[in-house]
Amino acid sequence: MPTEEELIARAAELLARGPLLPPPAERKRLREAAGLTQQDVATALQTKRETVNGWETGRTTPRPPRLAAYQHLLNGWAEKYPPNTSAPTPAVATETFTGTAADTPTRPAADTAAPTTASRPARTARPSTSRRPGAKKPAPSAASDPRFENGPLAVVDASDDGQMLAYCVGGLVLDCPAKTFPALAEWALTEAKLGAPRLNRNGKDADPLLVLTDAAAERIGLPAVLEDRRGLRLAEDHKVVKQLAKAKWKLTKRGFGPWARVYRPAEGGKRQCVQFAILPWGALDTRSWGDTGQLPPADVAAVLGTYATRVLTPRGSTAVCGLELMSALRPPTRAVKDAATGSWVSGPNPGSLTEPVDPAPPEAPAEHPLVAALYPRHHVRTPDQVIDEEAYDWFRPLTDEECTQGYTHAVGIDVNMAFAAAANRLVIGTGPATHVKNPAFDPKLPGSWLVDLSHIETDPRLPSPFTPKGTRPTGPAWYSTSTVAYAVELGAPIRPSEAYVRYEHGAYFDAWYTRLRDAYMATMADLGVEAGMSEADFLAAMARHKEVDPGQAAVLSAIKSTVKGGIGKLRERPQSIKHKFGEPWPALQRPTWSPHARAELIGKVRTNQHRKLTAWARAGLFPVAILSDCAVYLSHGPSPLDFMPHTPEGKPLPGGFRLGVSPGMVKHEGTRDFLWLAQTIEDDQINPARHIKGDDAPDSGE
């Protein structure tokens, strides 16, 4: 963030060039008269053109440090270019110069800020907490909650003189008087005014999150590196853990690790819980957050604050966040009135995953007690004993015709948010499974079905829709409802021999999908990629989107990881080295542990993809490789536009893949030359989709 002095100097330079924008309607008049653009102003003040447009229209007002620089410009232009006295002079609104927060946008932005201390009424500082000069206050909205005045989180850092500072969302900086870890937790609950309102009326408010930098962690006595590299937990005899115990704080079963949660019993129905993220211990995984953990504290707060606003306040890895978001949007319980006593008690919330249930035996992983009771430890289950709903990992040899057609490139296209898109309107079981023999297949009934689909023929240039490897089934096998329903769609006769069906079911993921879709679309828009762009403009925007704003690019990566990791957590396997085969593990106690739901979702991803592959195959276009949601096609040029089929009117072929930013549409994944593709398939026997981005960039899936 530039300093106020730097921006004033830039404004002075621009002032010397000619008139600029005064507020609000007068700004536009002077800019147009001078022949300057909104981008000129944005460049000078180091902000976005859209922000300057908001200042011109009066929808927003600048905040420090830009407020003083912008005011400097306004005063200069007012002297040099007085308004035309023969025409009504637009009133210069007080908010232009005072910078009131009431007219700032509700959506957080990196360049919005609160009024300077001098331009707003004096206020009494809270004990041990003050707003530092030039600090920005989060923009209030209709949904603002005074309990969480300072946003969902703060990044705590220690200055060279030992003072603790808390950097909040929107640029607000608070003085933090805490000297010990227990005092830091106490401050977060009593003075910091951090947290976020619940996402569902039956849920819980988000606890305050404090993110500790290296300097802050050292300042309060935490080691720079965790000695326990396997368990990633602070030793129970460490002085910080002892301090917490002495102050009556408790740790969760996870212990004191990179994501530590401390709590006390609720008082008067009010939670007393604080979440901590320890940056030097790797709380922000680079695979999900990029280099966010190495940024300055204010920038870390901006990235995490955007994620917290659009998704939820981080409370662990992005995988944990993906799972927690499900529960936050669909809480397992709600308050119900006890008919006998008339008091309010906790009861199951209809439509949610309300309690842990056992999976059907074919759905359970090998370590599960149900499977251990049926088979020896090293038994490899066959398709008629275990369901195998996974994403594609398939490739095929090139045909003689393809080798003589003069293709020069292999081009990969990747489905945007494929797994999130599949979650939309997906019906899963919310209760226990019921075992039935010789059932009639019902596509509206989620579950697992033992059925023989080996008689269904598919073009050898396409993968089978029924197996992850794309090979044709050889006999009866277990499939999710999503997969069997697609077999029915293809016109095949279906006769299941048995099934585990769930009569309690619902579209559990709908709210989860909607929130993640909106977060993804808003972040892509910030990176310059919007819905409705032409195909060529979309490809150009995607080629540069990661360089537009590194912070927003990190948010985008975290959103994608939230989808992928959350789905993976639905069938989390044992994590502890102490786990013994056949014994239950902690994840089984979660209502959201549901391998059935994961199987239904991945089955839908694969069949959705096959449906579009088939639409293109009818136009004579066949893939040569698929990995997860990436498909590789032969092309006479390096761009997807060089091979993607279109109608005579120039529109995308109905039913096939379409270029665009929305979930379910596709983007350019990567391009390699034809000779590389041929060698990778024929000589190396490696799936080329795994390295279509480059040798060092294997597909990560979304």
Side-chain angles (χ1 to χ4, degrees):
M1 174 64 68
T3 66
E4 191 171 289
E5 291 74 15
E6 291 173 342
L7 292 177
I8 289 178
R10 286 176 169 269
E13 293 176 3
L14 198 58
L15 185 62
R17 289 170 44 190
L20 200 58
L21 307 172
E26 183 71 358
R27 305 174 191 175
K28 182 178 180 180
R29 181 187 72 79
L30 287 176
R31 176 179 59 79
E32 292 178 345
L36 299 176
T37 66
Q38 293 176 345
Q39 188 59 53
D40 292 331
V41 184
T43 301
L45 299 186
Q46 296 186 23
T47 186
K48 299 179 181 178
R49 184 198 62 78
E50 292 79 7
T51 301
V52 177
N53 182 66
W55 297 347
E56 278 194 358
T57 58
R59 289 185 287 107
T60 62
T61 56
R63 292 185 170 213
R66 292 180 179 83
L67 176 62
Y70 193 56
Q71 184 175 356
H72 183 68
L73 284 173
L74 295 177
N75 292 338
W77 301 141
E79 292 179 4
K80 292 185 178 182
Y81 299 90
N84 186 354
T85 55
S86 63
T89 302
V92 179
T94 303
E95 78 237 20
T96 302
F97 297 95
T98 62
T100 57
D103 296 304
T104 55
T106 57
R107 176 178 162 189
D111 53 350
T112 57
T116 58
T117 305
S119 63
R120 63 173 180 261
R123 54 182 290 180
T124 302
R126 294 189 300 273
S128 304
T129 305
S130 64
R131 196 175 306 284
R132 301 181 64 80
K136 297 178 283 186
K137 183 177 179 179
S141 67
S144 292
D145 191 322
R147 297 174 301 162
F148 313 126
E149 176 184 347
N150 295 327
L153 57 89
V155 179
V156 181
D157 191 31
S159 61
D160 293 339
D161 59 4
Q163 185 177 10
M164 299 276 276
L165 302 176
Y167 295 80
C168 304
V169 176
L172 172 70
V173 184
L174 303 175
D175 290 317
C176 178
K179 305 298 182 183
T180 65
F181 203 94
L184 192 59
E186 195 76 42
W187 175 81
L189 287 179
T190 58
E191 296 185 50
K193 291 193 174 182
L194 297 173
R198 64 196 67 187
L199 298 180
N200 183 287
R201 65 176 184 175
N202 296 312
K204 300 174 182 176
D205 296 330
D207 299 317
L209 167 64
L210 295 184
V211 182
L212 305 187
T213 66
D214 297 45
E218 180 183 2
R219 177 72 178 79
I220 60 174
L222 293 177
V225 178
L226 279 176
E227 294 181 1
D228 180 4
R229 301 310 302 164
R230 183 180 294 274
L232 288 178
R233 296 295 180 266
L234 195 63
E236 294 183 1
D237 60 354
H238 191 276
K239 66 176 183 178
V240 170
V241 178
K242 292 181 177 179
Q243 288 172 354
L244 287 169
K246 185 176 181 180
K248 307 300 183 184
W249 288 103
K250 296 182 179 181
L251 289 165
T252 63
K253 292 182 180 180
R254 291 191 299 178
F256 200 121
W259 289 90
R261 182 181 292 271
V262 302
Y263 69 96
R264 288 171 175 161
E267 290 185 358
K270 183 179 180 181
R271 286 169 59 87
Q272 296 190 87
C273 186
V274 183
Q275 178 78 56
F276 291 89
I278 317 299
L279 293 183
W281 295 357
L284 298 182
D285 191 332
T286 56
R287 293 171 296 181
S288 301
W289 294 99
D291 295 329
T292 300
Q294 305 302 318
L295 296 175
D299 294 339
V300 176
V303 171
L304 296 182
T306 301
Y307 181 89
T309 302
R310 294 177 180 173
V311 183
L312 86 167
T313 303
R315 56 191 71 177
S317 68
T318 49
V320 169
C321 291
L323 201 67
E324 292 286 343
L325 182 61
M326 297 177 194
S327 297
L329 294 168
R330 297 267 193 183
T333 60
R334 64 172 180 171
V336 296
K337 205 164 190 177
D338 189 312
T341 64
S343 59
W344 290 94
V345 297
S346 179
N349 189 18
S352 298
L353 299 175
T354 59
E355 60 182 2
V357 296
D358 285 334
E363 299 166 353
E367 306 90 343
H368 197 279
L370 287 175
V371 180
L374 294 174
Y375 308 104
R377 177 169 185 173
H378 299 292
H379 173 76
V380 178
R381 288 183 288 174
T382 55
D384 60 341
Q385 296 173 339
V386 61
I387 193 169
D388 187 24
E389 294 285 14
E390 299 293 343
Y392 272 131
D393 184 358
W394 167 88
F395 66 100
R396 63 172 176 82
L398 300 175
T399 65
D400 292 341
E401 182 182 3
E402 289 170 336
C403 292
T404 59
Q405 288 298 308
Y407 290 113
T408 57
H409 294 85
V411 181
I413 54 174
D414 181 81
V415 181
N416 302 322
M417 300 279 281
F419 294 93
N424 187 29
R425 301 177 186 174
L426 176 69
V427 176
I428 66 166
T430 56
T434 300
H435 186 221
V436 291
K437 288 283 190 178
N438 301 313
F441 176 69
D442 184 352
K444 296 182 179 180
L445 198 59
S448 299
W449 309 77
L450 182 60
V451 60
D452 189 351
L453 302 179
S454 61
H455 60 285
I456 302 177
E457 295 186 6
T458 56
D459 192 299
R461 292 170 293 180
L462 288 176
S464 166
F466 308 122
T467 63
K469 291 296 184 181
T471 55
R472 187 170 175 173
T474 57
W478 286 98
Y479 303 97
S480 68
T481 297
S482 299
T483 301
V484 182
Y486 185 62
V488 173
E489 182 181 321
L490 295 178
I494 301 299
R495 299 182 182 87
S497 58
E498 61 179 303
Y500 289 90
V501 296
R502 290 164 171 82
Y503 295 108
E504 298 176 33
H505 53 263
Y508 175 77
F509 291 117
D510 277 7
W512 187 76
Y513 161 75
T514 300
R515 187 161 180 87
L516 287 167
R517 176 204 62 195
D518 292 348
Y520 166 79
M521 294 294 286
T523 306
M524 290 299 288
D526 285 344
L527 292 170
V529 188
E530 300 186 11
M533 303 177 81
S534 68
E535 292 181 328
D537 288 345
F538 168 72
L539 290 174
M542 286 298 298
R544 61 176 181 268
H545 78 286
K546 291 184 179 179
E547 284 72 44
V548 171
D549 185 333
Q552 290 296 324
V555 174
L556 178 66
S557 174
I559 291 171
K560 292 180 178 180
S561 295
T562 300
V563 174
K564 179 182 177 182
I567 294 169
K569 282 281 187 180
L570 292 171
R571 197 190 64 168
E572 182 178 356
R573 305 181 85 159
Q575 302 295 311
S576 174
I577 59 173
K578 298 179 180 179
H579 176 262
K580 295 182 179 180
F581 182 82
E583 292 185 353
W585 57 96
L588 303 187
Q589 300 305 311
R590 296 195 310 250
T592 49
W593 192 83
S594 176
H596 146 72
R598 179 183 179 276
E600 289 284 7
L601 196 152
I602 295 181
K604 187 178 178 183
V605 170
R606 201 179 60 250
T607 53
N608 280 350
Q609 193 169 13
H610 193 273
R611 190 178 291 108
K612 294 178 180 181
L613 294 169
T614 302
W616 274 14
R618 289 193 290 265
L621 206 62
F622 294 88
V624 294
I626 302 172
L627 182 68
S628 188
D629 43 14
C630 173
V632 177
Y633 283 86
L634 300 177
S635 174
H636 292 286
S639 168
L641 295 179
D642 293 322
F643 74 92
M644 294 184 76
H646 290 78
T647 65
E649 295 76 24
K651 296 182 179 180
L653 195 69
F657 298 107
R658 302 182 62 178
L659 286 170
V661 68
S662 299
M665 301 178 79
V666 299
K667 62 179 180 294
H668 182 203
E669 181 74 353
T671 297
R672 303 296 294 266
D673 63 69
F674 179 81
L675 292 179
W676 170 88
L677 175 82
Q679 179 181 352
T680 302
I681 292 177
E682 304 296 340
D683 297 341
D684 301 334
Q685 292 293 302
I686 296 174
N687 186 343
R690 187 173 299 278
H691 300 285
I692 194 66
K693 287 183 179 180
D695 290 335
D696 297 324
D699 177 81
S700 60
E702 292 180 7

